[in-house]
Amino acid sequence: MEIIMYIFVSIAIISLQAITPFVIRKSECFGVNVGERANRKAELKQLKKQYVGQVILWTSLVAIIGIALLQGFNTSESIQAGIFIASMFGQLIVSFIIYYRFHLTTLQWKKEKIVSGEISTNSIILVDTSFHRKKMVISYTWFIVPFLIFIITLAITVVFYQQAPMTFPTHFDMNGTVTNTVVKSPRIALLFPMLQLAMIGLFIFINFVIARSKQQVENEKPSDSLKRNMLFRQIFSKAMLIMCTILVIDFLVTQVVILLALPIEIMTVTMLGSVVIIIFGVVLLSVKVGQGGSRLKFSNEPDGANKPIRDDDAFWKAGIFYFNRNDPALFVEKRFGIGWTINAARPVAWLSFRVIILLIVLITLLF
């Protein structure tokens, strides 16, 4: 079972890393703003193909080494867990190293094109002043759905607590076998309902981030860019609600299995099913929608002359971390990947994430 799970997660990581250059904004390449027209040049297309080949090769090598180590230490659960986690991080680190090399290459390519006059830049930022007044995310009342599931979980916990087993499982090996238990108590019994509540709060915050994040308008096709960005936010807002509901249901099933001493296989299948659905959904959204709606098709504006691009690469460290003291925005779209990141120069942005992490840690400590 652990090998199957490891292979599945590795394939997901490798696939997501490999497709990233093709699902980000069409004006960006390896964390560098090159403009949509320049991004179609043969040199950059070749760089993307090389990146895909190297990511698949080297991250697959790390994954294969992980499989060999898992097989070699199949008698030690703790070592296997360490190998699993270390290998996942290893794949991400290797893919980042490969990405960073291509990021530097693209930066140099852009500098050469600016010098030759093939690319022109400016510091003009296009803004739609009515953008944030438009409806771009689902209503927060939709989160009543996962909240009702939380209420159901809480009610089941209260009703079946007395007849539940005297010990609750707290740890499983990678085959789903219980390896540790604790004595039943109200505090332990409330762990999963509290995790549900924290999960709902987290996704409400994500919905807020989607609604309030900085608008990004492309100089080349501003009208289409705005439409894509609005649709992108609407689609991902709905997707986050679905993801939240799936995870809350997963916690409900786990709680029922523990309280009623049902077969652990029910919980395992539900958990694996949730992971498969979520990962498949993320890949599907990446391919069909793209970052900022880049893969949504519009043709309202003609592809006219090459226009100057916004040159703000200096604010993107390694093309991934945004740091701009002059920008009041707390949240911005990622340059390499799908979703949003923080403006690291704004203390409030850091504080919001620290509060979320603190709440999750407190729940795990208290319950």
Side-chain angles (χ1 to χ4, degrees), residues 99-343:
Y99 153 79
Y100 187 65
R101 187 172 71 84
F102 281 90
H103 169 72
L104 294 177
T105 301
T106 307
L107 270 178
Q108 183 59 37
W109 180 90
K110 179 180 177 180
K111 290 178 182 177
E112 293 172 357
K113 296 301 178 183
I114 291 175
V115 171
S116 67
E118 294 183 52
I119 293 179
S120 57
T121 63
N122 62 32
S123 57
I124 296 174
I125 300 176
L126 297 179
V127 175
D128 179 358
T129 55
S130 65
F131 185 75
H132 282 108
R133 293 198 296 269
K134 298 173 183 176
K135 185 176 177 58
M136 292 178 289
V137 297
I138 60 171
S139 169
Y140 291 100
T141 56
W142 278 102
F143 285 92
I144 291 176
V145 175
F147 186 77
L148 287 175
I149 298 172
F150 157 74
I151 296 297
I152 292 171
T153 306
L154 197 60
I156 290 173
T157 302
V158 173
V159 171
F160 292 98
Y161 176 76
Q162 293 299 330
Q163 66 187 70
M166 293 306 297
T167 58
F168 282 5
T170 58
H171 191 267
F172 305 85
D173 63 18
M174 301 186 76
N175 292 313
T177 305
V178 178
T179 58
N180 194 23
T181 59
V182 294
V183 177
K184 179 177 72 173
S185 70
R187 181 173 64 86
I188 297 298
L190 286 173
L191 172 61
F192 285 107
M194 291 303 102
L195 286 176
Q196 285 179 316
L197 200 58
M199 192 67 62
I200 294 168
L202 174 61
F203 278 92
I204 288 175
F205 175 72
I206 292 173
N207 200 53
F208 171 79
V209 170
I210 295 173
R212 302 308 303 172
S213 63
K214 180 181 178 180
Q215 63 169 296
Q216 185 172 333
V217 185
E218 303 294 347
N219 290 7
E220 293 177 282
K221 294 183 178 181
S223 177
D224 283 359
S225 178
L226 282 170
K227 291 178 183 178
R228 288 193 184 96
N229 197 255
M230 288 186 62
L231 280 173
F232 169 67
R233 296 179 191 228
Q234 291 169 1
I235 292 169
F236 268 78
S237 176
K238 294 173 183 177
M240 291 302 103
L241 174 65
I242 294 171
M243 188 181 299
C244 176
T245 304
I246 290 172
L247 291 173
V248 171
I249 291 174
D250 194 16
F251 285 136
L252 167 62
V253 172
T254 300
Q255 185 77 335
V256 170
V257 167
I258 291 173
L259 290 173
L260 302 182
L262 299 176
I264 296 298
E265 289 75 16
I266 296 175
M267 182 184 70
T268 304
V269 170
T270 303
M271 190 178 299
L272 287 175
S274 300
V275 171
V276 170
I277 292 172
I278 290 172
I279 291 178
F280 176 77
V282 170
V283 173
L284 184 64
L285 285 174
S286 300
V287 173
K288 292 294 185 180
V289 180
Q291 177 69 325
S294 60
R295 298 184 68 83
L296 298 174
K297 304 298 183 182
F298 292 105
S299 57
N300 292 340
E301 294 188 3
D303 188 12
N306 192 20
K307 298 179 181 179
I309 62 173
R310 185 177 64 256
D311 191 10
D312 56 356
D313 295 332
F315 300 121
W316 286 92
K317 312 307 177 184
I320 293 179
F321 307 104
Y322 186 65
F323 192 94
N324 186 355
R325 290 189 178 93
N326 299 319
D327 190 346
L330 300 179
F331 310 104
V332 296
E333 285 184 22
K334 291 180 179 179
R335 273 216 170 170
F336 194 76
I338 299 292
W340 292 263
T341 187
I342 64 171
N343 180 359

Side-chain angles (χ1 to χ4, degrees), residues 347-361:
V348 176
W350 282 105
L351 181 62
S352 62
F353 277 88
R354 286 174 181 171
V355 169
I356 292 172
I357 294 171
L358 179 61
L359 288 174
I360 294 173
V361 171

